[in-house]
Amino acid sequence: MNGAHFVVQALKEQNVTQVFGYPGGAIMPLYDALYDGGVDHLLCRHEQGAAMAAIGYARSTGKVGVCIATSGPGATNLITGLADALLDSVPVIAITGQVPTHLIGTDAFQEVDVLGLSLACTKHSFMVQTAEELGSVIEQAFEIATTGRPGPVLIDIPKDIQVGPSVAHALAKLMNTEKTLNIAAIDQAKTMIRASQKPLIYVGGGVGMANAVSELRDLIAATEIPSVCTLKAIGCIKHDSPYFMGMVGMHGSKASNLAIQECDLLIAIGARFDDRVTGKLDEFAPNAKVIHLDIDAAEIDKLRQVTLSMTDDLKQVLPAITIKPNIEQWQQHIAEMKVQHVSRYDHPGEPIFAPALLRQLAQTMPADTVICSDVGQHQMWVAQHMFVDRPENHISSSGLGTMGFGVPAAVGAQVARPNDTVIAVSGDGSFMMNVQELGTIKRRKLPVKILLIDNQRLGMVRQWQKLFFNGRYSETILTDNPDFVTLASAFDIPGETIATKSQIDQALQRLLNSDGPYLLHVSISEEENVWPLVPPGAPNDRMMESVE
Amino acid sequence: MINALTVEAKNSPEFLERLLRVCRHRGFTIQSINAEVNNTQHTTQINLTVCSERDISLLTKQIDKVVGVIGLTLLQQPENIKASA
């Protein structure tokens, strides 16, 4: 067995059945080992697509996503995907080939210092120095990627180690120290909750990553404390939960943002006070004491000084702090705000109103559909107007905001969950950033549904240019877009274009009922904006709700 | 404010690079640094002083997260040393 076969064997031992990648010179031995079978490999058409497919695979299942690339440009093409995984705390293993050990540092063909490149965009990274350490490196990489706050780990393997004899020896696992709950802190949390008149639960993506959705729902059901969530936490709370107000922050619901500003106790669970959530930080939740629960100690007091913090496993903490406060008046106020600020879908004329279209799609799509959103206005409309009831069913590039994410993420999700409907919601700008992944859909005959919302603009940038740059539309006009339906047909993906409300019902049925992939291209007005909007530098209660 | 830290880590070729990157990215300028390898224990000890307007805990918590760090000691509290102009 050589080093490359050893890597494949080690992946199997980590229960990896699926990898995404793109071959090249320095990783050829590993591809030769994959040729013998045992681990399914899906060829993506760009390494960035492979990284994002691995993210989609990981986020739709909770498993580790694995991507593979060669040295030099293969490795550099992974970088954006790794940064995306780091910002959204996704467990991804990236394996890159490297030039042979004796050529490292000589500026050899396709040599780049990938370890150096990885430092800012991975949780950790390894350069395998000897065959002896290969086993322990792989084992450590999986452990690091999945424990504590998850994240991407890169393993760079020189070609000579791939072709050389393996020394199958794994070191002992990293020490996992079991923590016991701090009883005093639990008691203090319960005292604070009991004393609060206006408590609010602010849920972040950490809840899903901690597999603590059930514990969170139990807490909310038992306490009836009103709640809001971040973009990454969509799906953690049932969308029809009585006192749940939806997403908070820049494009959050008005009720969520107002409730944050009014609350006297903010219970932040697996959330990190991101600037898109807080708006003007020193005016965020100005009247609130804060309880912060997060596995990552570095998030505590990073942006908001808190009254009480715990860095324990949420699955343990959430049941322990459950206590029902007496907050009928606050609940009544929240219920009234929800009604007062509910989204409206009445829209004049025949042109399609994207929020209403997405709402209808959410109401029509099968249960357990996975939505993979790209980045831009459509991403915010998905977050505001669609609804899912599992965090694994809403996959969106939340931290990095990576245009081009949606289609390859949908590839990964569809491979992971072949029996579920997977819909990529994209925009005309984002779609073109990884359009080559239509080739991956064709190759595997994946039944990915694509809803492409086309305003012939880089819509979110255009919106900001209109609002904050005096309507100077610098490089955001895309009237020279290709014919998307023809483009899809080149990859054997059928599709159609619609532009009026009367076409929506039947077009959605054709999208959802197609056996294979389908592109529904939707033309909308370039004038549509995402509302509400907290302007940059403003506190969350100063939302803009129209151009006027 | 200037703070003095001692970081002990498992020895690896790139550890110093990781540490320097974290310091820079989190807004701390290195005023002085000394690194020494212990070949018997396969560790590296790094003594450094850093300068920033930010609270030192923002850096120490990030360094604590770096894989391979065995120990971190904050030698002097912020109020003890003032940055020279």
Side-chain angles (χ1 to χ4, degrees):
Chain A
M1 182 184 282
N2 66 15
H5 281 91
F6 179 82
V7 172
V8 174
Q9 184 60 35
L11 291 176
K12 288 185 204 168
E13 286 172 11
Q14 294 290 341
N15 300 315
V16 174
T17 57
Q18 179 69 54
V19 298
F20 305 87
Y22 201 104
I27 198 71
M28 284 180 70
L30 182 55
Y31 273 83
D32 188 62
L34 287 168
Y35 195 68
D36 288 334
V39 174
D40 186 37
H41 177 277
L42 178 56
L43 177 73
C44 297
R45 305 312 289 266
H46 189 289
E47 291 86 352
Q48 185 180 113
M52 290 174 185
I55 293 171
Y57 182 91
R59 289 185 61 173
S60 63
T61 59
K63 298 178 185 173
V64 177
V66 178
C67 55
I68 301 174
T70 192
S71 63
T76 57
N77 282 342
L78 289 180
I79 294 294
T80 303
L82 294 175
D84 192 279
L86 183 69
L87 268 286
D88 281 344
S89 308
V90 185
V92 165
I93 299 289
I95 299 174
T96 49
Q98 183 53 279
V99 301
T101 309
H102 71 279
L103 287 178
I104 293 174
T106 68
D107 304 319
F109 176 65
Q110 291 193 330
E111 185 199 358
V112 73
D113 174 19
V114 65
L115 186 79
L117 287 170
S118 73
L119 298 182
C121 63
T122 59
K123 184 177 177 186
H124 193 59
S125 45
F126 295 92
M127 156 78 84
V128 180
Q129 311 269 355
T130 64
E132 286 78 11
E133 67 181 33
L134 197 49
S136 73
V137 162
I138 293 172
E139 196 162 324
Q140 287 178 73
F142 276 82
E143 181 130 5
I144 291 167
T146 54
T147 54
R149 180 176 180 171
V153 178
L154 180 135
I155 309 171
D156 196 31
I157 312 176
K159 193 172 183 179
D160 54 312
I161 292 176
Q162 296 176 53
V163 297
S166 74
V167 183
H169 174 65
L171 292 182
K173 287 194 169 187
L174 298 178
M175 292 296 288
N176 259 337
T177 48
E178 287 285 328
K179 286 177 69 178
T180 52
L181 289 179
N182 180 337
I183 300 302
I186 295 290
D187 287 345
Q188 188 183 346
K190 289 166 91 169
T191 301
M192 289 170 70
I193 292 169
R194 194 187 297 115
S196 168
Q197 303 294 307
K198 299 177 179 179
L200 187 68
I201 292 174
Y202 151 44
V203 177
V207 171
M209 306 310 290
N211 197 22
V213 171
S214 161
E215 287 76 7
L216 174 75
R217 291 179 179 180
D218 288 347
L219 173 75
I220 288 173
T223 63
E224 296 185 316
I225 296 174
S227 55
V228 301
C229 74
T230 65
L231 177 62
K232 194 169 171 237
I234 287 173
C236 287
I237 304 170
K238 289 243 179 200
H239 73 279
D240 54 0
S241 193
Y243 302 109
F244 174 54
M245 288 165 284
M247 187 171 73
V248 68
M250 180 174 276
H251 292 294
S253 71
K254 190 167 182 178
S256 288
N257 283 333
L258 293 178
I260 284 258
Q261 297 305 91
E262 292 179 29
C263 73
D264 65 4
L265 175 66
L266 189 64
I267 308 167
I269 306 176
R272 61 187 175 90
F273 296 87
D274 174 84
D275 58 287
R276 288 285 158 130
V277 164
T278 63
K280 191 177 183 187
L281 183 62
D282 56 11
E283 293 184 34
F284 177 74
N287 307 311
K289 294 178 179 175
V290 177
I291 299 173
H292 194 178
L293 312 176
D294 199 291
I295 196 77
D296 184 355
E299 292 299 339
I300 308 300
D301 291 334
K302 185 178 84 174
L303 291 160
R304 172 70 182 245
Q305 296 294 308
V306 302
T307 314
L308 175 67
S309 65
M310 284 178 265
T311 56
D312 307 278
D313 184 351
L314 292 178
K315 288 179 79 69
Q316 288 182 284
V317 176
L318 297 183
I321 64 167
T322 300
I323 187 165
K324 190 173 182 349
N326 185 8
I327 51 170
E328 284 83 4
Q329 205 172 345
W330 174 237
Q331 289 166 328
Q332 177 68 27
H333 179 56
I334 294 292
E336 288 167 5
M337 282 206 296
K338 275 185 72 170
V339 171
Q340 188 180 351
H341 303 299
V342 70
S343 296
R344 293 183 59 169
Y345 298 98
D346 47 327
H347 179 264
E350 261 306 286
I352 290 171
F353 182 47
L357 169 78
L358 292 167
R359 189 74 177 178
Q360 186 173 341
L361 176 61
Q363 290 163 339
T364 316
M365 67 193 192
D368 238 3
T369 293
V370 182
I371 302 295
C372 295
S373 176
D374 238 308
V375 169
Q377 286 180 309
H378 62 278
Q379 178 189 28
M380 292 299 107
W381 286 327
V382 166
Q384 292 172 328
H385 305 291
M386 296 191 76
F387 45 85
V388 298
D389 282 331
R390 287 174 62 191
E392 296 90 348
N393 289 355
H394 178 255
I395 301 176
S396 190
S397 175
S398 306
L400 195 65
T402 313
M403 289 177 69
F405 176 83
V407 171
V411 165
Q414 187 73 81
V415 169
R417 291 169 54 180
N419 299 321
D420 288 325
T421 299
V422 176
I423 304 174
V425 179
S426 190
D428 50 312
S430 285
F431 186 67
M432 291 295 285
M433 282 219 179
N434 270 318
V435 73
Q436 80 286 341
E437 296 310 320
L438 297 182
T440 311
I441 290 173
K442 177 185 178 185
R443 183 180 186 86
R444 188 55 67 94
K445 297 182 173 58
L446 296 170
V448 171
K449 320 299 181 212
I450 302 170
L451 181 71
L452 173 51
I453 299 175
D454 180 3
N455 57 6
Q456 298 196 323
R457 298 292 186 278
L458 294 177
M460 188 62 90
V461 185
R462 186 212 63 84
Q463 178 173 342
W464 279 51
Q465 287 172 334
K466 182 177 181 71
L467 297 175
F468 310 121
F469 291 86
N470 300 316
R472 290 159 56 84
Y473 298 118
S474 178
E475 298 294 343
T476 52
I477 298 172
L478 303 180
T479 48
D480 51 357
N481 274 331
D483 179 334
F484 290 113
V485 173
T486 302
L487 180 62
S489 73
F491 294 92
D492 292 344
I493 299 173
E496 64 183 300
T497 295
I498 61 172
T500 62
K501 287 172 181 157
S502 58
Q503 296 173 294
I504 289 176
D505 289 351
Q506 292 190 358
L508 285 183
Q509 288 307 313
R510 284 189 289 273
L511 175 79
L512 295 172
N513 294 334
S514 69
D515 290 333
Y518 197 86
L519 174 75
L520 178 56
H521 171 238
V522 183
S523 289
I524 65 164
S525 165
E526 72 270 18
E527 295 295 330
E528 293 294 349
N529 293 312
V530 180
W531 304 118
L533 162 68
V534 178
N540 279 357
D541 52 3
R542 284 191 219 148
M543 285 161 278
M544 297 173 69
E545 294 179 85
S546 69
V547 177
E548 289 75 36
Chain B
M1 304 298 285
I2 291 179
N3 284 278
L5 308 169
T6 295
V7 180
E8 189 181 6
K10 286 184 197 167
N11 200 8
S12 71
E14 81 288 356
F15 179 77
L16 191 56
E17 207 174 339
R18 290 186 193 280
L19 182 66
L20 297 180
R21 195 205 71 77
V22 170
C23 291
R24 174 187 54 75
H25 178 59
R26 299 295 171 178
F28 290 78
T29 307
I30 291 171
Q31 304 286 296
S32 69
I33 186 165
N34 179 64
E36 215 164 295
V37 172
N38 182 327
N39 285 317
T40 311
Q41 298 189 356
H42 307 290
T43 59
T44 305
Q45 181 169 308
I46 299 157
N47 301 312
L48 69 164
T49 54
V50 294
C51 179
S52 179
E53 293 302 311
R54 296 183 178 183
D55 190 286
I56 189 64
S57 68
L58 295 176
L59 178 63
T60 54
K61 287 177 180 175
Q62 294 294 338
I63 292 174
D64 255 340
K65 282 170 48 171
V66 175
V67 175
V69 169
I70 299 167
L72 187 154
T73 311
L74 180 60
L75 297 178
Q76 290 174 279
Q77 295 302 314
E79 60 270 23
N80 293 342
I81 305 175
K82 299 286 182 192
S84 55

